[in-house]
Amino acid sequence: MTHTTTPDLLNRLKRAQGHFGKIVQMVEEGRDALTIAQQLQAVARAIDKAKVALVLHHIEHHLEEATGPLPSDTRARLSEMAEITKYL
């Protein structure tokens, strides 16, 4: 398993994939546009969160690869960085 196939990332993407399949079904059934738009927004947010998780994990992985194990204060700073990404 590479750092890009972490269980968290795969779970997020599989949930988004399943949810998207339900949206396709909603369109085929002629459900109302507001409901479909709300569900599309939820999938878009899920994919955005998966993207952030991938990028942050990538940064941490290569940082550790370059410097060795990260001290706890560095991990705390990375956690802060991860927390602020929700405002992007």
Side-chain angles (χ1 to χ4, degrees):
M1 178 184 315
T2 69
H3 69 282
T4 58
T5 57
T6 62
D8 179 55
L9 177 62
L10 288 173
N11 287 337
R12 288 175 184 271
L13 292 173
K14 287 178 181 179
R15 263 194 315 272
Q17 181 181 35
H19 199 136
F20 187 74
K22 297 289 185 186
I23 294 169
V24 170
Q25 183 180 355
M26 291 169 67
V27 171
E28 291 171 341
E29 293 171 352
R31 299 279 301 269
D32 67 287
L34 177 59
T35 302
I36 293 169
Q38 289 169 334
Q39 296 305 311
L40 284 168
Q41 181 62 28
V43 169
R45 281 193 309 265
I47 291 171
D48 283 343
K49 287 181 180 182
K51 179 176 59 176
V52 168
L54 172 71
V55 170
L56 291 173
H57 191 269
H58 181 80
I59 290 167
E60 184 176 331
H61 172 80
H62 286 288
L63 189 58
E64 277 193 320
E65 196 175 71
T67 65
L70 299 175
S72 60
D73 63 323
T74 302
R75 286 200 179 281
R77 288 183 186 158
L78 285 173
S79 292
E80 288 176 15
M81 184 174 73
E83 182 65 24
I84 200 166
T85 60
K86 69 182 177 185
Y87 299 107
L88 294 175

